Amino acid sequence: MATTELASSDQSDVVLAAHALSKHFRLHRGRRRLHAVDGVDLALRRGRVVALVGESGSGKSTVARLLAQLHPATSGEVRLHGRPVKVRAGRRFRAYARRVQLILQDPFASLNPIHTVRYVLTRSLKIHHPGIKGEALEQGLTDLLTKVHLQPDRFLDKFPHELSGGQRQRVSIARALGATPEVLLADEPVSMLDVSIRLGVLNLLSELKNDMNLAILYITHDIASARYFSDETIVMYAGQVVERGDSETVTQRPAHPYTRLLIASAPDPDNLAAAPETNGAKGEPPSLIDPPPGCRFQPRCPRATARCATESPPSFPVSGTQEAACWLFAPAGGNEEVPR
Ligand SMILES: Nc1ncnc2c1ncn2[C@@H]1O[C@H](COP(=O)(O)OP(=O)(O)OP(=O)(O)O)[C@@H](O)[C@H]1O
């Protein structure tokens, strides 16, 4: 997908960017390849949140892992402040991780049950600020817990099993902040938490974004939360970006048939008994193993035409910053249909 207006309007505050990033996993050491991510472009800016939205298996976590340098890319580039990065391990990886931190979905799995909060945060501070000790270390611990709204004297000596899910996720966030990062890659940071405490953790991330001028990638399958929390929303389907734009427009006036399906099929919080709408779309996402040409959503798309089965649509402008990779939005010469 072409770089968006949002992505190209001002490059000066871009911290981390993906350019045509792809990841194909080789299966069973054979010739077959699973196309987890294909040609993703995105730009993370200081003080802004980009939401990466899509259903399970669409490639969101793989994008985060590529950006975190936990996977080598098959093709394309990750750039930090405009410079291509390729680090695998050792000192260079630690230096990179100091600037780009990943927060995972499961605060239960990501904190070792045998270590106290003090141990977890001390380790983070010592890794990222070698030589820190004594009063500076104590102050660092206090500051980290205060930033995530946990009282230091109450929480420093607790073990993970003594904490609620929300408190654990706050400790995971504090651990990430120990690196004083510029970028947070938050992979479904609230999806395992009770609905009642999700908002509190998202508000905390929002506050940290403002206070620390962080660039945040917020990965979620919940497109409604993207509207609330993010400036830009990027929608992925089967490893590719299908739509992007400012969050208000993408969530309120979705263009791509898949985004419409995603929004229509989200449960209505006021009427959980009602069957979600599917706008005529049926079926499952396609196999990502050696995918066929054409639009990957075409087998499920209620508006597919013959062209969609053979030609992969590039990204077309829809309105303002909004773009959709769908032939419905091709200028004259594309599909005849009026999109809305
Ligand atoms: N190490 C791997 N080896 C092979 N296939 C992988 C590997 N990691 C991910 N995949 C596959 O890549 C595709 C994308 O997975 P990914 O976890 O990025 O999706 P996701 O959108 O984050 O889904 P979820 O919300 O369930 O985490 C899936 O088909 C997954 O099975």
PDB file of all heavy atoms in Angstrom, residues 50-53 59-65 102 185-191 217-222:
ATOM      1  N   VAL A  50      -0.974   4.880  16.761  1.00  0.00           N
ATOM      2  CA  VAL A  50      -1.490   4.221  15.562  1.00  0.00           C
ATOM      3  C   VAL A  50      -2.084   2.889  16.004  1.00  0.00           C
ATOM      4  O   VAL A  50      -1.417   2.110  16.693  1.00  0.00           O
ATOM      5  CB  VAL A  50      -0.365   3.965  14.532  1.00  0.00           C
ATOM      6  CG1 VAL A  50      -0.881   3.128  13.369  1.00  0.00           C
ATOM      7  CG2 VAL A  50       0.210   5.281  14.030  1.00  0.00           C
ATOM      8  N   ALA A  51      -3.347   2.648  15.636  1.00  0.00           N
ATOM      9  CA  ALA A  51      -3.956   1.357  15.957  1.00  0.00           C
ATOM     10  C   ALA A  51      -3.819   0.428  14.755  1.00  0.00           C
ATOM     11  O   ALA A  51      -4.052   0.838  13.623  1.00  0.00           O
ATOM     12  CB  ALA A  51      -5.427   1.540  16.297  1.00  0.00           C
ATOM     13  N   LEU A  52      -3.412  -0.810  15.035  1.00  0.00           N
ATOM     14  CA  LEU A  52      -3.342  -1.840  14.002  1.00  0.00           C
ATOM     15  C   LEU A  52      -4.433  -2.840  14.343  1.00  0.00           C
ATOM     16  O   LEU A  52      -4.377  -3.501  15.384  1.00  0.00           O
ATOM     17  CB  LEU A  52      -1.957  -2.488  14.043  1.00  0.00           C
ATOM     18  CG  LEU A  52      -1.551  -3.366  12.877  1.00  0.00           C
ATOM     19  CD1 LEU A  52      -1.616  -2.604  11.565  1.00  0.00           C
ATOM     20  CD2 LEU A  52      -0.127  -3.894  13.090  1.00  0.00           C
ATOM     21  N   VAL A  53      -5.443  -2.890  13.469  1.00  0.00           N
ATOM     22  CA  VAL A  53      -6.662  -3.632  13.787  1.00  0.00           C
ATOM     23  C   VAL A  53      -6.852  -4.778  12.805  1.00  0.00           C
ATOM     24  O   VAL A  53      -6.540  -4.640  11.622  1.00  0.00           O
ATOM     25  CB  VAL A  53      -7.879  -2.676  13.660  1.00  0.00           C
ATOM     26  CG1 VAL A  53      -9.167  -3.390  13.980  1.00  0.00           C
ATOM     27  CG2 VAL A  53      -7.722  -1.470  14.553  1.00  0.00           C
ATOM     28  N   GLY A  59      -1.954 -10.976  11.110  1.00  0.00           N
ATOM     29  CA  GLY A  59      -0.539 -10.597  11.000  1.00  0.00           C
ATOM     30  C   GLY A  59      -0.112  -9.460  11.915  1.00  0.00           C
ATOM     31  O   GLY A  59       1.028  -8.992  11.842  1.00  0.00           O
ATOM     32  N   LYS A  60      -0.999  -9.042  12.806  1.00  0.00           N
ATOM     33  CA  LYS A  60      -0.708  -7.873  13.655  1.00  0.00           C
ATOM     34  C   LYS A  60       0.507  -8.111  14.557  1.00  0.00           C
ATOM     35  O   LYS A  60       1.408  -7.281  14.633  1.00  0.00           O
ATOM     36  CB  LYS A  60      -1.931  -7.531  14.535  1.00  0.00           C
ATOM     37  CG  LYS A  60      -3.225  -7.376  13.756  1.00  0.00           C
ATOM     38  CD  LYS A  60      -4.408  -7.086  14.649  1.00  0.00           C
ATOM     39  CE  LYS A  60      -4.737  -8.117  15.710  1.00  0.00           C
ATOM     40  NZ  LYS A  60      -5.216  -9.416  15.215  1.00  0.00           N
ATOM     41  N   SER A  61       0.511  -9.269  15.250  1.00  0.00           N
ATOM     42  CA  SER A  61       1.633  -9.527  16.166  1.00  0.00           C
ATOM     43  C   SER A  61       2.933  -9.692  15.402  1.00  0.00           C
ATOM     44  O   SER A  61       4.000  -9.312  15.893  1.00  0.00           O
ATOM     45  CB  SER A  61       1.392 -10.811  16.973  1.00  0.00           C
ATOM     46  OG  SER A  61       0.269 -10.656  17.764  1.00  0.00           O
ATOM     47  N   THR A  62       2.841 -10.248  14.198  1.00  0.00           N
ATOM     48  CA  THR A  62       4.073 -10.416  13.410  1.00  0.00           C
ATOM     49  C   THR A  62       4.634  -9.048  13.043  1.00  0.00           C
ATOM     50  O   THR A  62       5.855  -8.841  13.086  1.00  0.00           O
ATOM     51  CB  THR A  62       3.799 -11.286  12.159  1.00  0.00           C
ATOM     52  OG1 THR A  62       3.237 -12.525  12.594  1.00  0.00           O
ATOM     53  CG2 THR A  62       5.074 -11.560  11.378  1.00  0.00           C
ATOM     54  N   VAL A  63       3.761  -8.092  12.739  1.00  0.00           N
ATOM     55  CA  VAL A  63       4.249  -6.723  12.459  1.00  0.00           C
ATOM     56  C   VAL A  63       4.969  -6.184  13.695  1.00  0.00           C
ATOM     57  O   VAL A  63       6.077  -5.635  13.604  1.00  0.00           O
ATOM     58  CB  VAL A  63       3.086  -5.780  12.052  1.00  0.00           C
ATOM     59  CG1 VAL A  63       3.537  -4.330  12.040  1.00  0.00           C
ATOM     60  CG2 VAL A  63       2.521  -6.179  10.699  1.00  0.00           C
ATOM     61  N   ALA A  64       4.356  -6.381  14.883  1.00  0.00           N
ATOM     62  CA  ALA A  64       4.989  -5.876  16.112  1.00  0.00           C
ATOM     63  C   ALA A  64       6.342  -6.543  16.328  1.00  0.00           C
ATOM     64  O   ALA A  64       7.326  -5.882  16.686  1.00  0.00           O
ATOM     65  CB  ALA A  64       4.073  -6.126  17.307  1.00  0.00           C
ATOM     66  N   ARG A  65       6.409  -7.835  16.074  1.00  0.00           N
ATOM     67  CA  ARG A  65       7.674  -8.549  16.303  1.00  0.00           C
ATOM     68  C   ARG A  65       8.736  -8.124  15.287  1.00  0.00           C
ATOM     69  O   ARG A  65       9.918  -8.074  15.598  1.00  0.00           O
ATOM     70  CB  ARG A  65       7.434 -10.059  16.270  1.00  0.00           C
ATOM     71  CG  ARG A  65       6.564 -10.516  17.459  1.00  0.00           C
ATOM     72  CD  ARG A  65       6.244 -11.986  17.400  1.00  0.00           C
ATOM     73  NE  ARG A  65       7.416 -12.808  17.659  1.00  0.00           N
ATOM     74  CZ  ARG A  65       7.878 -13.102  18.869  1.00  0.00           C
ATOM     75  NH1 ARG A  65       7.264 -12.639  19.927  1.00  0.00           N
ATOM     76  NH2 ARG A  65       8.950 -13.839  19.013  1.00  0.00           N
ATOM     77  N   LEU A 102       8.335  -3.559  23.681  1.00  0.00           N
ATOM     78  CA  LEU A 102       7.140  -4.331  23.338  1.00  0.00           C
ATOM     79  C   LEU A 102       6.397  -4.697  24.619  1.00  0.00           C
ATOM     80  O   LEU A 102       7.008  -5.192  25.574  1.00  0.00           O
ATOM     81  CB  LEU A 102       7.614  -5.592  22.598  1.00  0.00           C
ATOM     82  CG  LEU A 102       6.597  -6.579  22.069  1.00  0.00           C
ATOM     83  CD1 LEU A 102       5.694  -5.948  21.013  1.00  0.00           C
ATOM     84  CD2 LEU A 102       7.326  -7.782  21.443  1.00  0.00           C
ATOM     85  N   LEU A 185       5.329  -0.668  21.623  1.00  0.00           N
ATOM     86  CA  LEU A 185       4.543  -1.526  20.750  1.00  0.00           C
ATOM     87  C   LEU A 185       3.650  -2.324  21.683  1.00  0.00           C
ATOM     88  O   LEU A 185       4.124  -3.209  22.400  1.00  0.00           O
ATOM     89  CB  LEU A 185       5.462  -2.468  19.956  1.00  0.00           C
ATOM     90  CG  LEU A 185       6.590  -1.783  19.170  1.00  0.00           C
ATOM     91  CD1 LEU A 185       7.573  -2.818  18.613  1.00  0.00           C
ATOM     92  CD2 LEU A 185       6.012  -0.931  18.036  1.00  0.00           C
ATOM     93  N   ALA A 186       2.374  -1.971  21.739  1.00  0.00           N
ATOM     94  CA  ALA A 186       1.472  -2.582  22.719  1.00  0.00           C
ATOM     95  C   ALA A 186       0.583  -3.593  21.996  1.00  0.00           C
ATOM     96  O   ALA A 186      -0.327  -3.222  21.254  1.00  0.00           O
ATOM     97  CB  ALA A 186       0.634  -1.495  23.386  1.00  0.00           C
ATOM     98  N   ASP A 187       0.907  -4.877  22.171  1.00  0.00           N
ATOM     99  CA  ASP A 187       0.214  -5.949  21.446  1.00  0.00           C
ATOM    100  C   ASP A 187      -0.975  -6.442  22.260  1.00  0.00           C
ATOM    101  O   ASP A 187      -0.808  -7.201  23.204  1.00  0.00           O
ATOM    102  CB  ASP A 187       1.201  -7.092  21.153  1.00  0.00           C
ATOM    103  CG  ASP A 187       0.600  -8.105  20.189  1.00  0.00           C
ATOM    104  OD1 ASP A 187      -0.592  -7.967  19.833  1.00  0.00           O
ATOM    105  OD2 ASP A 187       1.329  -9.038  19.794  1.00  0.00           O
ATOM    106  N   GLU A 188      -2.141  -6.003  21.910  1.00  0.00           N
ATOM    107  CA  GLU A 188      -3.387  -6.350  22.623  1.00  0.00           C
ATOM    108  C   GLU A 188      -3.221  -6.151  24.127  1.00  0.00           C
ATOM    109  O   GLU A 188      -3.454  -7.066  24.915  1.00  0.00           O
ATOM    110  CB  GLU A 188      -3.765  -7.817  22.338  1.00  0.00           C
ATOM    111  CG  GLU A 188      -3.898  -8.136  20.869  1.00  0.00           C
ATOM    112  CD  GLU A 188      -5.333  -8.328  20.411  1.00  0.00           C
ATOM    113  OE1 GLU A 188      -6.243  -7.935  21.149  1.00  0.00           O
ATOM    114  OE2 GLU A 188      -5.520  -8.836  19.304  1.00  0.00           O
ATOM    115  N   PRO A 189      -2.844  -4.950  24.565  1.00  0.00           N
ATOM    116  CA  PRO A 189      -2.479  -4.765  25.969  1.00  0.00           C
ATOM    117  C   PRO A 189      -3.631  -4.915  26.949  1.00  0.00           C
ATOM    118  O   PRO A 189      -3.388  -5.101  28.131  1.00  0.00           O
ATOM    119  CB  PRO A 189      -1.937  -3.330  26.007  1.00  0.00           C
ATOM    120  CG  PRO A 189      -2.618  -2.635  24.881  1.00  0.00           C
ATOM    121  CD  PRO A 189      -2.756  -3.676  23.809  1.00  0.00           C
ATOM    122  N   VAL A 190      -4.876  -4.842  26.445  1.00  0.00           N
ATOM    123  CA  VAL A 190      -5.992  -4.930  27.398  1.00  0.00           C
ATOM    124  C   VAL A 190      -6.937  -6.092  27.106  1.00  0.00           C
ATOM    125  O   VAL A 190      -7.896  -6.291  27.831  1.00  0.00           O
ATOM    126  CB  VAL A 190      -6.794  -3.603  27.472  1.00  0.00           C
ATOM    127  CG1 VAL A 190      -5.926  -2.480  28.006  1.00  0.00           C
ATOM    128  CG2 VAL A 190      -7.404  -3.221  26.129  1.00  0.00           C
ATOM    129  N   SER A 191      -6.640  -6.880  26.064  1.00  0.00           N
ATOM    130  CA  SER A 191      -7.655  -7.863  25.663  1.00  0.00           C
ATOM    131  C   SER A 191      -7.827  -8.989  26.677  1.00  0.00           C
ATOM    132  O   SER A 191      -8.856  -9.653  26.692  1.00  0.00           O
ATOM    133  CB  SER A 191      -7.359  -8.421  24.282  1.00  0.00           C
ATOM    134  OG  SER A 191      -6.125  -9.049  24.303  1.00  0.00           O
ATOM    135  N   LEU A 217       2.257   2.034  19.070  1.00  0.00           N
ATOM    136  CA  LEU A 217       1.501   1.168  18.161  1.00  0.00           C
ATOM    137  C   LEU A 217       0.571   0.355  19.049  1.00  0.00           C
ATOM    138  O   LEU A 217       1.015  -0.378  19.928  1.00  0.00           O
ATOM    139  CB  LEU A 217       2.428   0.226  17.379  1.00  0.00           C
ATOM    140  CG  LEU A 217       1.684  -0.706  16.405  1.00  0.00           C
ATOM    141  CD1 LEU A 217       1.091   0.071  15.225  1.00  0.00           C
ATOM    142  CD2 LEU A 217       2.604  -1.806  15.867  1.00  0.00           C
ATOM    143  N   TYR A 218      -0.722   0.497  18.816  1.00  0.00           N
ATOM    144  CA  TYR A 218      -1.730  -0.180  19.631  1.00  0.00           C
ATOM    145  C   TYR A 218      -2.384  -1.263  18.778  1.00  0.00           C
ATOM    146  O   TYR A 218      -3.104  -0.970  17.829  1.00  0.00           O
ATOM    147  CB  TYR A 218      -2.769   0.850  20.095  1.00  0.00           C
ATOM    148  CG  TYR A 218      -3.997   0.260  20.725  1.00  0.00           C
ATOM    149  CD1 TYR A 218      -3.901  -0.602  21.803  1.00  0.00           C
ATOM    150  CD2 TYR A 218      -5.270   0.570  20.242  1.00  0.00           C
ATOM    151  CE1 TYR A 218      -5.045  -1.143  22.387  1.00  0.00           C
ATOM    152  CE2 TYR A 218      -6.411   0.046  20.827  1.00  0.00           C
ATOM    153  CZ  TYR A 218      -6.287  -0.813  21.896  1.00  0.00           C
ATOM    154  OH  TYR A 218      -7.405  -1.353  22.461  1.00  0.00           O
ATOM    155  N   ILE A 219      -2.072  -2.506  19.111  1.00  0.00           N
ATOM    156  CA  ILE A 219      -2.607  -3.634  18.342  1.00  0.00           C
ATOM    157  C   ILE A 219      -3.870  -4.137  19.014  1.00  0.00           C
ATOM    158  O   ILE A 219      -3.889  -4.360  20.230  1.00  0.00           O
ATOM    159  CB  ILE A 219      -1.540  -4.737  18.262  1.00  0.00           C
ATOM    160  CG1 ILE A 219      -0.387  -4.232  17.395  1.00  0.00           C
ATOM    161  CG2 ILE A 219      -2.121  -6.027  17.723  1.00  0.00           C
ATOM    162  CD1 ILE A 219       0.734  -5.205  17.245  1.00  0.00           C
ATOM    163  N   THR A 220      -4.922  -4.295  18.217  1.00  0.00           N
ATOM    164  CA  THR A 220      -6.183  -4.726  18.810  1.00  0.00           C
ATOM    165  C   THR A 220      -7.069  -5.389  17.766  1.00  0.00           C
ATOM    166  O   THR A 220      -6.910  -5.149  16.563  1.00  0.00           O
ATOM    167  CB  THR A 220      -6.929  -3.528  19.437  1.00  0.00           C
ATOM    168  OG1 THR A 220      -8.116  -3.996  20.078  1.00  0.00           O
ATOM    169  CG2 THR A 220      -7.304  -2.476  18.403  1.00  0.00           C
ATOM    170  N   HIS A 221      -7.985  -6.255  18.228  1.00  0.00           N
ATOM    171  CA  HIS A 221      -9.019  -6.731  17.303  1.00  0.00           C
ATOM    172  C   HIS A 221     -10.314  -5.944  17.544  1.00  0.00           C
ATOM    173  O   HIS A 221     -11.313  -6.167  16.882  1.00  0.00           O
ATOM    174  CB  HIS A 221      -9.233  -8.241  17.446  1.00  0.00           C
ATOM    175  CG  HIS A 221      -9.539  -8.652  18.837  1.00  0.00           C
ATOM    176  ND1 HIS A 221      -8.591  -9.177  19.683  1.00  0.00           N
ATOM    177  CD2 HIS A 221     -10.662  -8.574  19.542  1.00  0.00           C
ATOM    178  CE1 HIS A 221      -9.145  -9.407  20.853  1.00  0.00           C
ATOM    179  NE2 HIS A 221     -10.398  -9.042  20.808  1.00  0.00           N
ATOM    180  N   ASP A 222     -10.262  -5.019  18.506  1.00  0.00           N
ATOM    181  CA  ASP A 222     -11.445  -4.272  18.897  1.00  0.00           C
ATOM    182  C   ASP A 222     -11.413  -2.882  18.249  1.00  0.00           C
ATOM    183  O   ASP A 222     -10.835  -1.935  18.787  1.00  0.00           O
ATOM    184  CB  ASP A 222     -11.452  -4.173  20.429  1.00  0.00           C
ATOM    185  CG  ASP A 222     -12.539  -3.252  20.933  1.00  0.00           C
ATOM    186  OD1 ASP A 222     -13.483  -2.976  20.171  1.00  0.00           O
ATOM    187  OD2 ASP A 222     -12.432  -2.799  22.092  1.00  0.00           O
TER     188      ASP A 222
END
